[in-house]
């Protein structure tokens, strides 16, 4: 019986990335010209590095979060990066890639 309860608890755990913190560099176009943004998403705390940290929704194919009226999303398969609002969901678009750690 205890083994079944333990197995049920294991199956109920949500899937998360293999690394506790995913660091990415994102490039996107803005009205002022090309921009670069470095992000760190903590998959354990489910936050993105901002001040203060913002909650991130972590799905199989998507990271998404909101800051005020602005929504951010990153496709975890393609790296497509979207910044938008409810009126303009694709206000700015770009791409993200895993950031390389500098030694």
């Amino acid at each position: 019986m205890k083994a079944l309860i333990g197995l049920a608890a294991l199956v109920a755990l949500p899937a998360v990335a293999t690394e506790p913190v995913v660091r990415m560099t994102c490039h996107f176009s803005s009205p002022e010209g090309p921009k670069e943004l470095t992000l760190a998403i903590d998959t354990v705390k489910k936050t993105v590095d901002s001040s203060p940290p913002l909650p991130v929704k972590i799905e199989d194919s998507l990271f998404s979060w909101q800051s005020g009226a602005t929504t951010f999303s990153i496709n975890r398969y393609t790296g497509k990066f979207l910044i938008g609002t409810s009126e303009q969901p694709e206000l700015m678009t770009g791409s993200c890639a895993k950031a390389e750690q500098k030694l």
Side-chain angles (χ1 to χ4, degrees), residues 26-103:
C26 303
H27 296 91
F28 62 97
S29 57
S30 78
E32 296 86 29
K35 300 282 183 185
E36 180 179 289
L37 179 64
T38 302
L39 298 169
I41 295 177
D42 187 320
T43 61
V44 175
K45 295 179 183 175
K46 296 186 180 176
T47 58
V48 65
D49 61 339
S50 61
S51 189
L54 294 170
V56 173
K57 185 175 181 180
I58 301 173
E59 299 175 44
D60 182 52
S61 64
L62 196 69
F63 289 125
S64 60
W65 67 97
Q66 193 163 348
S67 178
T70 305
T71 301
F72 301 83
S73 66
I74 301 170
N75 183 304
R76 295 178 67 185
Y77 293 109
T78 66
K80 184 174 183 180
F81 182 50
L82 296 174
I83 302 172
T85 64
S86 58
E87 295 82 30
Q88 292 183 293
E90 293 192 23
L91 183 62
M92 292 179 263
T93 63
S95 63
C96 298
K98 188 173 177 181
E100 297 297 323
Q101 183 177 1
K102 294 181 180 177
L103 298 177

